[in-house]
Amino acid sequence: PFFVNRGGLPVDEPTWERMWRHVSRIHPEGERVAQRIRGAADLPKIPIPSVPAFQPSTPIPERLEAVQRYIRELQYNHTGTQFFEIKKSRPLTGLMDLAKEMTKEALPIKCLEAVILGIYLTNNMTTLDRFPISFKTHFSGNYFRHIVLGVNFGGRYGALGISRREELMYKAPVFRTLSELIFDFEEAYRRCWHTLKKVKLGHCVSHDPHSVEQIEWKHSILDLDKLTREDFRKELEKHARDMRLKIGKGTGPPSPTKDRKKDVSSPQRGQASPHRRNSRGDRRPSGEKKPADSKAMPDLNGYQIRV
C-alpha cells in the first residue's frame, strides 16, 4: 500500500521517491516486497473516495459534512511515513497544488494535510470563513500537537480535520462563539487525559486559490498557564472580533496572484506601503498587546501593492 495509489497505479515519481526514502530505512527488504505487491493480480481493489461536488443550491452545512466525509474516507495515516511534505511558509497557490496531488493519489493523511485539503475543498464557499487552530497538549510527560481548520458560517463556528480520536476533528458549525468551540475541544482533550497547554489561532484564509500570500498560522498565541479562565475566553473572543473586522474592512484590494504580478508596478518612493499581516514580533502571545506606536502607523490613503 506504500507504493501504489488506491487505483492500483504507481504514484508519481516525486511522491514515490519521498516514500521510498522513508520506507527503505525501516524495511531493507521493502523493494522486493513492493515488487511482489505491485505484480500481484489477485489483490482486492481498494475504493477511491470521490471528491465531493455540489449543486449551487446545496447548503453550506451539508457541503461541510460532505468535505469531512471525504477527508475521513482517505483515513488517518498510521504508517509513520509522511506521504506529502507540507511547508507552512509556502504561498497558498503552492499548497493548493499539493492538495490537488492529495486528491489524485488518495493516500492516508494526517492533521496538517487535512487542513490544507479542507481549504482546497472549501475555496468555492465564499460565505465561509476558514482559519487554522493549533493545539499543544501534555500527557504522560510528553507534549502533543494537533491542528484543525476552524470555520465560521452565519456567525456559527465549527471545524474540519482528521485525528486518531473522533472527538478531535469534525465539529458542525453550531457553536455561537469561538470560545465555545475551543472549550469543546478542551473538554474532548480532557476525556482523552490530555491537558491543553496552548492554542494558536490564525487569521482567515483567502478564497483565491492562486493567491501568493502565505497562510497566517499564528496570529494569536494563547498560553493557558499564563491566563485565567476568563482572560482565556476574552482573548478568544478578541481574536474572533479581529477576524470580523478584517473581513468587514476587506483588507484593501485583493491579494496579488501569479497573473497579476507582472501587471503591478512598485510604488514610487515616498508612497505608503499596504498594511501587512503581523510579523512574529507583532503577534499577541498569551493575550498581551503590543503598545500602539502612532509614528509607526502608515498612511493608507492611496497605497499600491508592493510585489
Side-chain angles (χ1 to χ4, degrees):
F2 301 127
F3 311 106
V4 294
N5 62 19
R6 290 175 182 263
L9 299 174
V11 298
D12 66 294
E13 192 65 21
T15 306
W16 161 264
E17 290 176 356
R18 288 197 301 271
M19 290 189 288
W20 176 244
R21 187 167 58 251
H22 292 293
V23 173
S24 59
R25 295 174 187 163
I26 58 177
H27 200 320
E29 302 296 319
E31 186 172 7
R32 282 204 292 272
V33 173
Q35 295 300 331
R36 190 162 64 246
I37 292 174
R38 296 174 74 181
D42 58 344
L43 294 177
K45 289 187 177 181
I46 301 175
I48 303 175
S50 300
V51 178
F54 310 107
Q55 297 294 330
S57 59
T58 305
I60 294 295
E62 290 184 20
R63 298 189 189 195
L64 292 177
E65 289 181 7
V67 169
Q68 181 62 42
R69 255 193 323 270
Y70 175 77
I71 292 174
R72 192 193 307 265
E73 287 172 357
L74 290 177
Q75 301 181 17
Y76 188 86
N77 180 6
H78 293 278
T79 65
T81 299
Q82 192 76 30
F83 294 142
F84 303 98
E85 183 182 7
I86 296 179
K87 295 181 180 179
K88 289 184 175 180
S89 59
R90 290 187 68 182
L92 185 60
T93 179
L95 293 174
M96 294 302 94
D97 289 340
L98 185 59
K100 290 180 184 178
E101 184 182 345
M102 292 185 209
T103 61
K104 176 183 174 183
E105 303 300 343
L107 292 166
I109 58 176
K110 290 189 176 181
C111 58
L112 182 56
E113 294 157 304
V115 168
I116 301 303
L117 197 55
I119 294 172
Y120 173 72
L121 295 173
T122 57
N123 269 338
N124 61 347
M125 306 179 197
T126 55
T127 57
L128 182 74
D129 300 326
R130 299 90 43 85
F131 57 97
I133 307 174
S134 303
F135 302 97
K136 179 181 179 181
T137 61
H138 183 263
F139 170 72
S140 188
N142 296 309
Y143 290 95
F144 299 85
R145 289 169 176 80
H146 180 49
I147 187 169
V148 296
L149 181 65
V151 296
N152 180 7
F153 173 69
R156 300 283 174 160
Y157 291 88
L160 297 171
I162 198 166
S163 170
R164 296 180 181 90
R165 296 281 187 171
E166 183 75 22
E167 59 268 37
L168 293 176
M169 43 185 185
Y170 176 65
K171 304 287 183 182
V174 296
F175 296 91
R176 293 176 300 171
T177 63
L178 177 59
S179 57
E180 286 185 7
L181 172 66
I182 300 302
F183 290 160
D184 188 82
F185 272 106
E186 183 182 28
E187 178 58 31
Y189 270 119
R190 189 176 290 115
R191 291 194 296 269
C192 299
W193 304 99
H194 280 236
T195 302
L196 186 60
K197 291 293 186 180
K198 280 187 179 181
V199 176
K200 299 177 183 178
L201 301 160
H203 256 314
C204 293
V205 181
S206 170
H207 285 270
D208 180 1
H210 305 295
S211 171
V212 296
E213 290 182 346
Q214 295 177 347
I215 295 175
E216 188 173 2
W217 300 93
K218 304 175 186 178
H219 179 77
S220 299
I221 303 175
L222 308 180
D223 190 336
L224 274 69
D225 289 336
K226 298 179 181 178
L227 292 170
T228 65
R229 188 71 172 178
E230 181 61 19
D231 288 340
F232 182 41
R233 185 192 65 77
K234 288 180 179 178
E235 287 301 317
L236 290 171
E237 295 313 313
K238 182 176 185 351
H239 183 84
R241 289 195 301 272
D242 289 347
M243 289 195 294
R244 288 196 297 270
L245 288 172
K246 186 174 182 180
I247 295 168
K249 291 179 180 178
T251 63
S255 61
T257 63
K258 289 178 179 177
D259 296 332
R260 293 192 199 112
K261 286 194 295 182
K262 54 190 176 184
D263 297 329
V264 182
S265 60
S266 299
Q268 299 176 3
R269 185 180 301 275
Q271 288 181 314
S273 299
H275 182 65
R276 292 181 173 84
R277 67 182 180 86
N278 293 347
S279 64
R280 290 184 181 272
D282 294 330
R283 294 175 188 143
R284 296 186 290 106
S286 304
E288 297 178 2
K289 298 180 181 177
K290 183 178 179 181
D293 185 358
S294 58
K295 296 181 180 179
M297 290 299 292
D299 180 11
L300 300 183
N301 294 325
Y303 67 82
Q304 297 183 19
I305 297 176
R306 184 188 300 278
V307 178

